[in-house]
Amino acid sequence: DILMTQSPSSLSASVGDRVSISCRASQSISGFLNWYQQKPGKAPKLLIYATSNLNSGVPSRFSGSGSGTDFILTISSLQREDFATYFCQQSYKTPLTFGQGTKVEIK
Amino acid sequence: QVQLQESGPGLVKPSQTLSLSCAVSGGSISSSGYYWGWIRQPPGKGLEWIGYIHSSGSTDYNPSLTSRANISMDTSKNQLSLKLTSVTAADTGTYYCARRDGYNFGYRYWGQGTLLTVSS
């Protein structure tokens, strides 16, 4: 199985801050890396697919980058509605695997 | 707009078989190229992929479930089903159905999830 490791596990930030979350795969995943946002009691929401492609309706303050085994989700200016948990997921091969999540909290 | 709606018993006893359904609206589950999956999340924890069924009927499962899972589709009802045998407390969590638009795609469409508790 491909192990996905996110860092940090949690972070505290203020509205307007620039935030970055890292995701590392245990082997190359050819750019098939997706990012999700999950709020309490809700299903995950796809933010970015294939490393850097913004899903329809997702604000442009979200961006993704990376290659090989190392990927980053960046929120350029954190908004109140962005406080949530973020997961990365590889869709290179099955079993599909997720990172353990990064909780973004209000400072 | 595609919508997915899970349903299930809520409570299952250990060693029993869990059966969940996912009703799909706004599109046919047999439309070519789609991957319909089940993902679960234990309370307060991360996401685990259970498996998928392709619109062609082919399936793939997470080996961690040791062959306990079975995913099927009923095209007449436009719904998916998940059966999980020999459940234990470790199977407690929220179960989601979701759709990918291709093999290497992310899950763009999700149901709201259904909570399952395994307890005697």
Side-chain angles (χ1 to χ4, degrees), chain B residues 77-117:
Chain B
K77 295 180 180 178
N78 213 42
Q79 71 178 28
L80 316 170
S81 295
L82 169 68
K83 291 190 188 304
L84 191 63
T85 61
S86 305
V87 298
T88 70
D91 295 310
T92 292
T94 298
Y95 285 71
Y96 298 99
C97 60
R99 193 190 92 178
R100 293 189 289 156
D101 292 345
Y103 185 81
N104 295 123
F105 284 59
Y107 283 103
R108 191 184 303 269
Y109 300 100
W110 294 70
Q112 86 286 352
T114 186
L115 178 62
L116 172 81
T117 301

Side-chain angles (χ1 to χ4, degrees), chain B residues 17 22 73:
Chain B
T17 294
C22 173
M73 59 172 32

Side-chain angles (χ1 to χ4, degrees), chain A residues 16-41:
Chain A
D17 284 353
R18 182 182 181 88
V19 168
S20 291
I21 299 169
S22 294
C23 178
R24 173 166 288 178
S26 59
Q27 65 179 78
S28 177
I29 54 173
S30 297
F32 295 118
L33 188 283
N34 311 299
W35 290 98
Y36 299 86
Q37 176 193 68
Q38 187 179 34
K39 296 183 178 178

